[in-house]
Amino acid sequence: MPSAGQATGPARNFGPRRLELIRGDLTGQQVDAIVNAANSSLMGGGGVDGAIHRAGGPAILQACRRIVEAKGPLPAGQAVITVAGRLPARHVIHTVGPRWRGGDGGEAETLDRCYRSSLALAAEKGLSSVAFPSISTGAYGYPVEQAALVAVRAVADMLRAGSPLRLVRFVLFSEADFDAYRRALASLPD
Ligand code: ADP
């Protein structure tokens, strides 16, 4: 039985590491870090980005501004970490997904890097639980069926390879997205 407060959606275990899916709102997740599907400016936007800044308050934007002042805009596929303000999560990892341009412009590779660089950064910071939205499948137009396969495979690969993370959760906003991720999870080899 899952312990109290733990989500109970479809899941796969890789030794002591767990990958799970739930339908819900990323901003309410009590994990070490939630991942923001940001844009390169890190100055907020619509979709999940807007929801994170609204719920977390101005401390997140202040931290993002300092990062951009120091390092410039964040390239697609890379990740940075900030405070989480008033969110129940302890940190926000910001990554920039690819804009869908038909699939021949390296979109899958960039999306794969988003998940891997976010998890590598979480591991580097000693975190053990991370929750992701479906990166790039909103305003950036990546077809969700294809994005789900990239996302689930990248995370499963990192967990199989011995990431120190214990829990990675995908938090899907719509039933259709949840179904796409459920199919992608079911398609993973044993
Ligand atoms: P992108 O620009 O990377 O496409 P979006 O924020 O537009 O990012 O969309 C990414 C996904 O996040 C979409 O599937 C959207 O439905 C979902 N989303 C929006 N708000 C939330 C939220 N509060 N929690 C989880 N997912 C969300």
Side-chain angles (χ1 to χ4, degrees), residues 121-159:
L121 183 55
E124 190 187 309
K125 298 291 176 188
L127 309 185
S128 53
S129 57
V130 172
F132 283 99
S134 177
I135 296 166
S136 281
T137 64
Y140 281 6
Y142 205 123
V144 68
E145 208 74 36
Q146 293 176 53
L149 279 171
V150 172
V152 162
R153 284 175 186 163
V155 172
D157 213 38
M158 295 283 282
L159 296 182

Side-chain angles (χ1 to χ4, degrees), residues 46-173:
V48 73
D49 194 1
I52 287 171
H53 286 287
R54 271 195 306 280
I60 303 174
L61 202 59
Q62 277 165 24
C64 286
R65 192 167 287 125
R66 282 196 293 276
I67 289 170
V68 174
E69 277 167 12
K71 303 207 277 193
L74 184 66
Q78 295 187 19
V80 295
I81 189 165
T82 68
V83 294
R86 296 191 295 261
L87 293 171
R90 291 167 51 211
H91 304 274
V92 178
I93 292 173
H94 306 260
T95 189
V96 180
R99 281 177 200 273
W100 182 255
R101 294 200 164 88
D104 293 332
E107 291 96 326
E109 290 76 11
T110 305
L111 187 60
D112 176 80
R113 279 209 309 282
C114 285
Y115 288 100
R116 291 175 191 269
S117 48
S118 296
L119 291 181
L121 183 55
E124 190 187 309
K125 298 291 176 188
L127 309 185
S128 53
S129 57
V130 172
F132 283 99
S134 177
I135 296 166
S136 281
T137 64
Y140 281 6
Y142 205 123
V144 68
E145 208 74 36
Q146 293 176 53
L149 279 171
V150 172
V152 162
R153 284 175 186 163
V155 172
D157 213 38
M158 295 283 282
L159 296 182
R160 278 201 178 101
S163 164
L165 286 161
R166 283 293 179 266
L167 172 67
V168 177
R169 180 181 292 159
F170 285 96
V171 181
L172 291 322
F173 213 42

